[in-house]
Structures are given as C-alpha cells and as structure tokens.
Amino acid sequence: MFAAFSCGPVGAASVSSDAVVLVNSASPAYPDFQRHIQPYLDNFGVPYTVWDIVTNSVDTNIARYAVIIIGHSQLDPGGTYLGSNAQQNLTTAVTNGTGLVNFDADLSSGGGTARYQFIQSVFGFGYGSAGSGGSVTMPATEPGSQMHFITARHQAGDAIAFRSSMNLPGIVAPSNVTAVALSGGQPLVAVTKFGQGRAVQWSSYDWMTTSVLGPIEGLDDLVWRGIVWAARKPFVMRGLPNFVTMRVDDVSGPFWWAHSAIDLGFKPWLGLFLNNIDDTKAADLRSMVTNGLATTSIHSFDCCSTFFS
C-alpha cells in the first residue's frame, strides 16, 4: 500500500516526491547506515536515493528531493567533503521547502564548536556536557496539551525504558526548537521549522540496537512519522510491506512456473513430493533456494501413500 502525503501543489517542475540519503563511505560510522537506518527506510517503503558525498558533491540538485536524510553519525567531521558551497546548498534547500532529517548527532568538536554551518542555520543548537539516558519520554508539546504529529501515536508523558543506557551528545535546543522526545533530560528528537522547510534532529540512534531497545519496541513510529512530517509535500511512501506471498504444495517439477513467479517478484514456497525430484530438478531447486529466490520443505515422499512426518 502506498501512502501519499500532500498539502498542495509544488511549483517547480523539477522537484520529486522521494528522499535522498547523504552518506560518507569514507566515514568510520558509514556501516551504521546499512546496519540501522537503511533497514527502517526499506521496511517503511521510503523511496530514496543514496548520495555518497565522497564521490558526488552536494550541488543545487539536492533541492529537488522532498526530504534530505543524513544517514549516519560522523558524516564529515573533518570538513573534507561538505565545504561552504555544499553546506549553503543544503541550507537553501531547506529554506525553500525540502525537509531535513538528521541522524548525525556528532555536531560539535571540543569546546562546543559547531561542525556544520547548515545545522546551525537550521537549528541554532548550543552544545553542553555529554550525558546518558536510560529511557525516553514523550511530552505534550502542542497547544491544548496535544502531542506532536511525530509522537501522536503515544499518550502524553509516555515513557519507554531501555534495556541499557545510551550516550547522548549534550545538544541544547534553543527556544525555536521543540524537543518532542527526551532522554536523560536531553532532546532525543528535536524539531523546528526553517523558512519553508521542516527539520528533525535525532541525538542518537543507539536505541536501534537490541542491547539498548531495538525495533518493534515503541520508537519505530517516530522514525517514519519524523520523515513524513519533515518532507516537502507531496511525499509518497509504501506504508505497508508487500504481504502477498505464494505457497504451492504437491510439487514435483519441472519448475518453469517457479521461475516465472520469481521473475514477477514473488518468493515461492515449494512443498515437495520428495521421491519425484530427480537430480536435474534438485539442481534447479538448489539454485533457487541458495540464491534466496525460493524456500522449500518436504510435503510428502510421494503422492498419497508415503507421507513425511
């Protein structure tokens, strides 16, 4: 199922309704994108393009996307790839309506000096002492003691305890930035509006590890709702995974039909009449299974007389 989020027409013909994810393949934290952030994007059906700043400079084309996602910590702490022009392009994109969701919380160097001018332009953070958090709480932040869109699936004051504490960088939110989720007394999720754009800052994604909390434990909705809230509209995502699957019992082969199903995007499950599978069919079946294209199990040794139990 695709979900379209729209609040009116977008003027420029060149804009798109998908996301771009900025990564740095030379960063020591780059594997965090593949390990933590990317699975969420794939599971939530967010259409995205990966933009590696090592091989592609951040030019004005960044503004064509509905939302810019910073895909991991330590995006460019040395300032090697995000020069002043690149950072100005990011600032301008948000000013003109492109959303920003930043999973990079390594935002300051020693002495509280900001690493990225575009983050300072959008959020204006201060930087204090690092800390830790053993839980997350979600206060009512909107008029009438209502919850923010990002936390709207939770009750006011909802608290989720972690299995173990996680480190937090000491981000200090100014008055124009709202902390919609808190951990250890510090913002875990902070939001603001900047020009025509919206921005979301995560101060840690360590909660995504099962040793701290992990998926399906109460915070996943903040990820997708944060992206939806920030993105320029229209924004399209597949809100539910593809639930259609294929199971076939009494399978003897040949498997031409299984290959046709695979070509159409299915991953068929094959319940075998084991004694009817010769070496040629077994080789074909093995190729499909070991390449992750199909799954299989024994249904019976043959038709109607010798069963498997």
Side-chain angles (χ1 to χ4, degrees):
M1 182 182 75
F2 285 95
F5 302 89
S6 178
C7 63
V10 177
S14 61
V15 300
S16 67
S17 58
D18 57 345
V20 61
V21 184
L22 297 188
V23 300
N24 177 352
S25 59
S27 169
Y30 171 67
D32 288 353
F33 167 64
Q34 299 167 311
R35 185 181 301 117
H36 299 306
I37 309 303
Q38 191 170 31
Y40 273 107
L41 301 180
D42 291 340
N43 186 68
F44 290 141
V46 175
Y48 64 91
T49 298
V50 176
W51 188 314
D52 186 352
I53 63 173
V54 174
T55 55
N56 296 282
S57 61
V58 178
D59 57 22
T60 56
N61 287 320
I62 201 74
R64 68 178 294 271
Y65 295 95
V67 59
I68 300 165
I69 300 171
I70 310 298
H72 58 81
S73 186
Q74 298 179 327
L75 180 66
D76 188 28
T80 305
Y81 305 104
L82 290 179
S84 58
N85 288 339
Q87 296 203 47
Q88 183 58 53
N89 290 334
L90 290 168
T91 303
T92 300
V94 179
T95 301
N96 291 335
T98 295
L100 174 66
V101 177
N102 187 16
F103 287 101
D104 183 3
D106 184 17
L107 301 179
S108 67
S109 57
T113 302
R115 295 191 190 278
Y116 305 104
Q117 182 56 50
F118 78 99
I119 293 296
Q120 289 308 107
S121 296
V122 173
F123 289 100
F125 288 133
Y127 301 98
S129 300
S132 64
S135 65
V136 58
T137 58
M138 284 160 272
T141 60
E142 306 308 296
S145 298
Q146 298 298 304
M147 300 296 282
H148 192 276
F149 174 84
I150 295 174
T151 55
R153 295 179 63 87
H154 298 263
Q155 298 295 319
D158 191 11
I160 299 173
F162 297 150
R163 295 185 179 92
S164 61
S165 62
M166 64 181 185
N167 295 326
L168 297 164
I171 292 174
V172 180
S175 59
N176 64 309
V177 174
T178 301
V180 299
L182 298 163
S183 184
Q186 299 186 23
L188 176 62
V189 183
V191 303
T192 193
K193 296 179 181 179
F194 181 72
Q196 299 179 57
R198 296 173 171 182
V200 177
Q201 174 70 51
W202 284 84
S203 63
S204 178
Y205 50 72
D206 287 349
W207 63 267
M208 295 179 180
T209 63
T210 54
S211 61
V212 177
L213 184 66
I216 323 177
E217 294 288 351
L219 288 183
D220 302 342
D221 56 311
L222 273 62
V223 177
W224 76 260
R225 293 178 75 88
I227 295 170
V228 169
W229 179 81
R232 181 186 57 219
K233 313 307 185 291
F235 176 67
V236 178
M237 58 180 275
R238 185 189 294 272
L240 291 173
N242 188 347
F243 286 123
V244 178
T245 187
M246 184 175 186
R247 173 182 174 136
V248 181
D249 286 320
D250 302 350
V251 172
S252 296
F255 300 119
W256 58 268
W257 55 270
H259 290 284
S260 296
I262 291 167
D263 290 341
L264 292 172
F266 291 96
K267 185 176 183 177
W269 182 93
L270 291 73
L272 304 177
F273 283 157
L274 187 61
N275 291 345
N276 295 350
I277 306 299
D278 59 25
D279 289 346
T280 300
K281 297 173 184 176
D284 188 15
L285 182 66
R286 183 181 188 281
S287 176
M288 288 188 285
V289 172
T290 57
N291 284 290
L293 302 176
T295 56
T296 187
S297 184
I298 299 173
H299 183 59
S300 175
F301 284 99
D302 59 21
C303 177
C304 311
S305 62
T306 309
F307 298 101
F308 179 81
S309 61

